Amino acid sequence: MGWLAPVGAQGAPCGIVDAIDYPIDISETLNERYDDFALFRRRFGGNHVGIDIGFNRWGETVYAAARGQVTYSDPEGWDTEKGVVIVRHVFPDQSIAYTLYGHMEQTDTLKFPPVGVCVEKGEPVGAIGWPSRGLPHLHYETRSMLPDDGGPGYVIDNPLLEGWYHPLDFTLDWQLRLAGGYTASLSFLNVPTLPPILLDTGEVVIATGDRLEAYTIDRMIGWTVAMPGVITGLSALPGGRVVAQARGGQVITLQNGRYQSVWQVDGLETPFQPLGETLVFATAEGGLAAYRPDGTMLWSHSGIGGGALPTLRAVDFSAGPAGSGQIALAVRREDGSVHWRSVDAAGALVAETTFTRTPAIAAYPGGWLALTGTELVRLTAGGEEHVTSLSPAPGPNARIAADAMGNTYVYLNDAEGTLLAVDSSGVVLWRTTYPWRGLPLAPVLRADNGCALYTLDVDGVLRVYRASDGELLAERAMYAGGVRNASPPARLLRPDGGNRLLISAGFLTLYLLDADAIAGESLSACVLG
């Protein structure tokens, strides 16, 4: 599961995997977002190396997750904890993985397959058993080793360091790869808490709590650096440099994992924004301060309230489109109003306004857009310029995005789940019903050069829409974590202008996808006027 780094195959006597699924129906598990992989259980003195599924479904048939060869089969493999079957799989990239089905029993009509035989996806391998130390359930593992050993069930360290894969992430990963459009991926050993960044050295860096970890193409950690608090901002600079800010204000610049500079910025808990070699921070009073990567201050803007406001919060802090050289910050005042301003890389004020309600903000090639209530407006030096009025009224988590052609895409987050597009003159081009509503967070929206709109839900579903008419062209699913370990702020959705997508659902795997291959001819044939 490395970044274009397959493992050498050892032969495929039962064929290459061309489809994969869960060994039983786990819709209830996914709906409840239950995930006990790597969960520490004091009773067993370690971290769980698989997932427990199918509770209280004693005797239900368990199926092979994918095509493969049985390497272990013992009805008494775990003694009173019942039987185990292990299947070896060879994947299209020539990598080898094993699936383990534990706590299983045989029945009068359902026997374990013998060692050496080939099984196809969906072929029975046993029945859910009733272990002596728990309720009936299936213990399911995906791993890279131990082809003929039931294994410990629990380990002291992170199971990902010991050769196990996260079964849910692994399954959806390979479903995505086999569906087409996959280019490359990299799986991490810890869950990021901010979107991953790519360095020009080829490394990928993540923030995970108070640690920075750099990954090489073979999934190995190149270097790690601990900071004095949870990391709240992370950015890549040319020359393999990384800038990170921790809660409490410490900022560091690293190159190849080595410190170049350390300084302090007391600011709001929102990621800083880079403009080339200029790093712009939102200060504690709602102002702006810019620094060089060595910690030298370049300029600053005063706050909005004449002093620290205990209830001040950043509503939006983002960089403008490539080449615009602008940064914009929106902060909520104590009275509930929202102050917004944009500045250029030299610190000159470009535009400024105040909203009576929380806006959704997006950059477009000519500047900035805001959805405030039902009004879509452009933000200019003179204030707010009306574009159009939308209906129905948007919900509190509405989102907008703009493409290179000046079209705006709006997720209203209303009761109907409206998704629509508006051209630069304010004409509604199309509207449709978004397929999934009721999620706790709005989807991430990204538009490209006028051909496609991409959305990424908090549950890890990517959708590709044709920009001209709103037709849903494709969907892909990634594992986004469970209740305990999901990281929605780490979601990443970045079109590169060449119909490629860099995407992460905020969990263990980062992907590079080919949007043309995912969406088919209707996207690849798009020609802009």
Side-chain angles (χ1 to χ4, degrees), residues 150-434:
Y154 293 85
V155 293
I156 299 300
D157 294 323
N158 180 350
L160 297 172
L161 292 168
E162 303 292 329
W164 278 271
Y165 302 122
H166 189 299
L168 300 174
D169 187 66
F170 183 88
T171 302
L172 284 177
D173 172 72
W174 273 106
Q175 287 182 348
L176 186 151
R177 295 190 192 202
L178 295 169
Y182 169 86
T183 299
S185 65
L186 176 66
S187 292
F188 309 119
L189 298 175
N190 293 290
V191 178
T193 45
L194 291 172
I197 60 171
L198 276 67
L199 305 186
D200 53 11
T201 60
E203 292 178 305
V204 176
V205 177
I206 67 169
T208 176
D210 63 353
R211 288 166 52 86
L212 295 170
E213 296 178 350
Y215 287 80
T216 60
I217 60 172
D218 55 3
R219 196 174 174 240
M220 299 299 291
I221 296 180
W223 51 261
T224 64
V225 171
M227 295 191 71
V230 172
I231 298 167
T232 58
L234 180 65
S235 184
L237 294 177
R241 290 174 297 162
V242 175
V243 181
Q245 182 179 20
R247 185 177 296 161
Q250 186 186 86
V251 184
I252 63 172
T253 300
L254 305 170
Q255 187 168 39
N256 299 319
R258 297 179 179 274
Y259 283 86
Q260 283 196 325
S261 57
V262 180
W263 74 98
Q264 188 78 16
V265 178
D266 295 324
L268 300 180
E269 195 168 302
T270 187
F272 63 90
Q273 296 294 329
L275 284 177
E277 294 288 311
T278 299
L279 310 173
V280 185
F281 297 79
T283 62
E285 298 82 18
L288 294 166
Y291 294 80
R292 293 194 183 102
D294 63 3
T296 302
M297 177 179 278
L298 297 171
W299 51 261
S300 65
H301 275 261
S302 62
I304 63 173
L309 301 177
T311 59
L312 198 64
R313 295 290 183 271
V315 171
D316 184 86
F317 188 31
S318 53
S324 71
Q326 290 187 28
I327 292 287
L329 171 66
V331 292
R332 182 178 290 110
R333 289 179 162 135
E334 287 186 303
D335 62 4
S337 64
V338 174
H339 178 270
W340 178 90
R341 76 176 87 174
S342 66
V343 301
D344 63 20
L349 183 67
V350 177
E352 187 173 27
T353 192
T354 299
F355 300 99
T356 58
R357 60 180 69 194
T358 303
I361 305 287
Y364 77 104
W368 302 87
L369 293 161
L371 178 64
T372 173
T374 60
E375 300 300 303
L376 181 66
V377 299
R378 293 187 186 93
L379 303 175
T380 68
E384 302 172 22
E385 177 185 304
H386 176 81
V387 177
T388 190
S389 298
L390 300 175
S391 65
N397 286 318
R399 292 290 184 271
I400 63 174
D403 66 22
M405 308 302 292
N407 301 312
T408 305
Y409 306 90
V410 184
Y411 172 71
L412 286 177
N413 196 32
D414 58 308
E416 289 75 32
T418 303
L419 179 69
L420 58 83
V422 179
D423 70 11
S424 58
S425 65
V427 175
V428 175
L429 300 173
W430 53 261
R431 65 173 61 221
T432 188
T433 299
Y434 198 68

Side-chain angles (χ1 to χ4, degrees), residues 1 7-8 10 49 86-89 91 95-100 141-148 159-166 170 219:
M1 295 180 69
V7 181
Q10 304 165 12
V49 299
I86 300 174
V87 180
R88 174 180 179 266
H89 310 279
F91 288 86
S95 62
I96 306 295
Y98 301 89
T99 53
L100 178 145
E141 297 179 17
T142 52
R143 60 196 197 186
S144 64
M145 73 306 183
L146 301 179
D148 53 6
L160 297 172
L161 292 168
E162 303 292 329
W164 278 271
Y165 302 122
H166 189 299
F170 183 88
R219 196 174 174 240

